[in-house]
Amino acid sequence: MKRIIIITLACLVVNFVFVTTLSILLLPLPDLLEGTAVEYRIIYALLNFVEFLEPTIFTGFLIGCVIEFGLNSGGSSEPFSPTMFNRYKTVVILGIGIVFILTLSSEVLKPLCLSRKEVLEEAPKELEEYSKLADRFYTSNDFMRAAYFAKVAHDIAPTNEAIAQKYHDYTDAMQDAKLTYTPRLSSNIEMAENITGITVKNGDTSWTVARLLDMAQEEYNTENYLNAHYYARLAFLICGEQDTNYLEAKRIADEAWEKLELPNNVGNQESFDYYKKKYDAYIALCDNDYVKAYYLFMNLSNISQDNAKDPDIKRYLLEAQEKLNRDYFFTEEVSDMKHWENSSNICFKLKKGMGKTDVIFIRGMSLATGKSKKIRYARDISIYCLDSEQNLEFSFTAPYAKIVSQDAKTLSDHDKEKLGIKKNHKLVPCLLLKSVDKDVEGEGTEPTITYSRRSDIKLQDLTKYILPMPYSDMNALSDLSHGASRMSLYDLAKFMYVATDYGYSSVAFGQAFIIRITQPLVLLTLLTFVAAFAWNYRILRRQMFRFKWILAIPLFAIVLYALLECTQYACTLTDCVFFSAFGFYSIIVAFSFYTLCFLIVSVIFLSRYANKE
Amino acid sequence: MKNVISILIAYIRICIGGTIFCAFLYMVYCTCTNMVTGYPSSVFSINLFIRGIFEILPVFVYLAPLFLILLRIRHDDEELLTLLLSIFLCLIGFLTLIPASYKIKKHYDKLPLSQQEHKLQSAGFFRDDDDIIVYYSRVFPNGSVDKITYPKSHFDSYNTYLRTEYQSSSKPRKFSSEPFSDILVARSTSAPLLLKKIIEHSNIFLTNSMQAMHNGYISWLLFSSMGFSLISVIMMCRVSKWRLMNVLFVSIVTSIIFIFNYYSNCTTALNLLHFFVARRLPKFFAVRYPVTCIFNICVIAIMTTCGIIQIVIDKRQKSKDIEEINL
């Protein structure tokens, strides 16, 4: 056993040194950003190492077995001898170890290296693209977006002087045009976390009506009429006219309102102005104009530190922000989104009620993982809505969208039916299509309708867009851009059943799943077969291993590489047969088939014996 | 006698077993190339399977010498009878099995495939080509489609700004999925690059081999000189004392013979050489590919001579060993 391990490890070391040296010396570098060449060479070398890992390990295992079996071939003068069973045990134990290493390299190391390689290769293209976009918007006098794209380009290549200059020029142009948009490198994840914390919070509605009434009365008694009105109003909104508490709540609210409207206890003009602004902001909040209320409270809070500390301002600013974030998101959340985008070119279709279909394209998607929740942001989203005849009904695009989860219970049955939300969908994705600036009113992004046959759809209605799908499927969809081979096995297993619903081939994903899930068993079977082959061609007992034979090892690796490729393709076609004949049951059939193959190969190995030596 | 029977069984197993297994894969591959996602389809087609048998059989007849040599190496077989039997079986294979399978295949080529060929693409799926993603929302019987095209990059190579577009009643996109009808099937079932190249070159080789057979018996005999050189490698199956090294040696020599014959007969790489050699040969030898014949004859001569020398040396060594043991 030791001998096989040592020879396999020696082959691995030789492969690593050989591949790394060749990759570093001979690799023709593609167009890369300055300073990334060394990293690219290392990634490339690692990828090549992983690519040839299988034939290398197989070669090491073959040579190891050939020598081990040759030197210790005694005790097997007839088939199925106990010594052969001991050898079989060794082969299977080593096989499992090798399969573990190979699976780890193909499921973890290879995807990691591939993603990084893609990022490095795409960087110059992206730099050029964002630079061009910046120029394009600059020439069309859209300085804000020009500055934004120049900033993205600058972030991709911070050392590029021309881009840096462009970024400064366009930012200056934007400031000259008195636009206050400032892309921030703020910690977006934290911001998103905070915002979502508010959005998902059940809020004041978790209080009982009686508790709200008590609080309103307390606030009224301490002459805090704003809070008294707020709690009383909340109480009568919750309980409804039939409730016995309704009249009491209405009374407190009205009395507090009267006091609010007569600010006779306000002293000087400054205090009066301040109170008036606070009052206006509060009215906007009561009128459900959260955007206006948010900016009014925000402006008040920004005037002085005392204002910012005012408990009323703090409370209602938070309240307005919470309500605002149910329908909008802050532009700042997506200002440097490009950096944490983890998938690109995502597309899927969704079947809606009444035979309608939505076709959705997303240029880039990012996942912000906070302490409690995951939020996604979509960049450059286009949605095409097709009617039951699959004719285009209307389409729109949005520069950004925030994807939050919405509880399907909050939707009426009629809405669910219309949207095509199924009963088993608990959380559904909701796209927030409009963004607002955190500080400046009137700035932000909104969708654009590119085509419409329907007169009932107006731009102002396009604030939220609910997608009829489980929110958890967003994971698999965002991984789609890398192909089935790069999806996690869990996502793949889930996705293959629903792939057709999203516009993908279930057969392709099912096949990919079967190939990946049965890969360890196939490899173990092949290793056992290699061991049987090694027994057949083992060195003779008295034969010394000659050093010059080592020179032939790379040739073995090449032959094994070709043979492994052929075998694995034969498995791909076999899996295709299984999927075609048995559909989703093919996983069980494939497993049974490969287990049978393993058993047959095991019997072949165990039936080996030495007839003369 | 036991060895003779085992050689016979092995030859039959290689030719029949290998052919049936690969014909099955051939059938699956061919049905996959016709498959279009969204249409019900089956990978089973008896006509394709039978056609596959006669398509694949020549491949295994060509590979049989290698397998017989591997068997000889494995059993340290030194018997002359088994050697002659192996050579005889391979020669019979080249001269009868291959021409017969080509003749039968011709008949099956005319039969319709059970798998209906879908010329039309299916609606409702995203098809991802190199730089673009296409979604057909509707496919009309006349072949036109309603489609949404989504460029993966904002700019093309001509610096034109690209946007996502909906086009009604337009032409379907031509995908780079040859020989598969549907790029979605191609993505999941197309062969890896190395195998693709092997399949591609094997196809060309088999077509040429068929052509040589149709050109007459002499032409076929000359083309089969490759087969004779392949089996002549059996003489050199004991170059090393390590059997695995012998396996590697015969595999490499077999590959070299295949590659040389392929480049010489099926490509224009050696045309000039063929021309010069043909001019210097007497009229009787003026065949289409003289260099190939000369190469194969040389291989046969070298292998046979070296093999005989090897056997003589081995025998002497053995008798020396026996003498030493007796002393």
Side-chain angles (χ1 to χ4, degrees), chain A residues 66 129 132 345 348-349 361 363 380 384 389 391 502-503 536-539 543 549 565-566 569 577 608, chain B residues 28-29 32 70 74 124-126 135 138 150-154 159 164 189 191-192 195 241-243:
Chain A
V66 161
E129 182 160 341
K132 276 182 192 170
N345 299 322
F348 53 95
K349 72 163 187 185
F361 297 92
R363 183 77 52 192
D380 193 1
Y384 290 81
E389 300 288 311
N391 288 315
Y502 290 113
N536 288 344
Y537 297 95
R538 67 194 179 278
I539 58 168
Q543 181 69 53
W549 289 348
E565 288 273 284
C566 294
Y569 187 58
V577 175
R608 303 293 90 188
Chain B
V28 178
Y29 179 82
C32 281
L70 295 188
R74 181 186 149 190
F125 292 97
F126 292 94
Y135 178 85
R138 282 204 298 184
Y150 172 82
K152 285 186 187 173
S153 176
H154 285 298
N159 227 355
T164 315
T189 4
L195 202 58
K241 289 195 170 148
W242 187 18
R243 285 180 293 180

Side-chain angles (χ1 to χ4, degrees), chain B residues 243-257:
Chain B
R243 285 180 293 180
L244 198 62
M245 198 57 76
N246 294 333
V247 170
L248 187 67
F249 176 78
V250 295
S251 309
I252 288 171
V253 173
T254 304
S255 310
I256 291 170
I257 295 170

Side-chain angles (χ1 to χ4, degrees), chain B residues 90-107:
Chain B
C90 291
L91 295 186
I92 288 287
F94 295 132
L95 300 175
T96 58
L97 280 178
I98 296 179
S101 79
Y102 283 153
K103 273 188 187 149
I104 304 170
K105 184 183 163 280
K106 229 176 157 187
H107 165 72

Side-chain angles (χ1 to χ4, degrees), chain A residues 537, chain B residues 65-75 247 250-251:
Chain A
Y537 297 95
Chain B
L66 176 67
F67 287 114
L68 289 183
I69 299 168
L70 295 188
L71 201 69
R72 196 171 170 79
I73 295 171
R74 181 186 149 190
H75 292 297
V247 170
V250 295
S251 309

Side-chain angles (χ1 to χ4, degrees), chain B residues 49-62:
Chain B
F49 179 67
I50 296 171
R51 199 165 88 171
I53 285 180
F54 298 108
E55 190 96 41
I56 302 290
L57 183 64
V59 177
F60 275 90
V61 175
Y62 278 122

Side-chain angles (χ1 to χ4, degrees), chain A residues 521-540:
Chain A
L521 192 54
V522 171
L523 286 174
L524 190 63
T525 311
L526 288 175
L527 282 166
T528 316
F529 184 77
V530 164
F533 184 83
W535 175 267
N536 288 344
Y537 297 95
R538 67 194 179 278
I539 58 168
L540 299 175

